[in-house]
């Protein structure tokens, strides 16, 4: 799958998202360092950077239109 460009902006692909999710899984299951690449960009993450990697994944999901609204808790009953 190729890179999608919108008005000169480099968009994510499903492969980018899959790679980022796999990297997060490796960090969470004990690998000490992972590297993620997106086009000409490369980033190295350590376990302490898991929150940054989650933010990157959220950004990719947003670019791909895969974000879900945060769910509200149950409605309270007043009366």
């Amino acid at each position: 799958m190729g890179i999608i460009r919108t008005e000169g902006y480099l968009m994510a692909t499903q492969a980018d998202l899959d790679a980022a999710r796999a990297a997060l899984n490796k960090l969470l299951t004990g690998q000490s360092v992972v590297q993620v690449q997106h086009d000409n960009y490369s980033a190295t993450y350590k376990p302490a950077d898991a929150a940054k990697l989650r933010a990157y994944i959220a950004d990719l999901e947003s670019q791909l239109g895969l974000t879900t609204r945060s769910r509200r808790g149950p409605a309270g009953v007043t009366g």
Side-chain angles (χ1 to χ4, degrees):
M1 177 179 273
I3 300 293
I4 302 167
R5 294 183 187 274
T6 304
E7 297 179 25
Y9 182 71
L10 188 63
M11 296 293 291
T13 65
Q14 184 64 46
D16 296 325
L17 179 57
D18 293 343
R21 286 176 172 166
L24 180 59
N25 184 59
K26 287 179 182 177
L27 275 185
L28 297 177
T29 57
Q31 188 166 327
S32 61
V33 176
V34 295
Q35 188 172 26
V36 177
Q37 295 183 0
H38 174 80
D39 197 34
N40 292 326
Y41 171 78
S42 177
T44 301
Y45 295 94
K46 298 176 183 174
D49 299 322
K52 291 179 185 178
L53 185 50
R54 283 187 179 100
Y56 175 62
I57 290 170
D59 181 54
L60 293 174
E61 290 172 339
S62 176
Q63 289 181 45
L64 294 170
L66 301 175
T67 55
T68 58
R69 294 182 188 176
S70 59
R71 295 181 59 168
R72 291 178 145 187
V77 177
T78 59

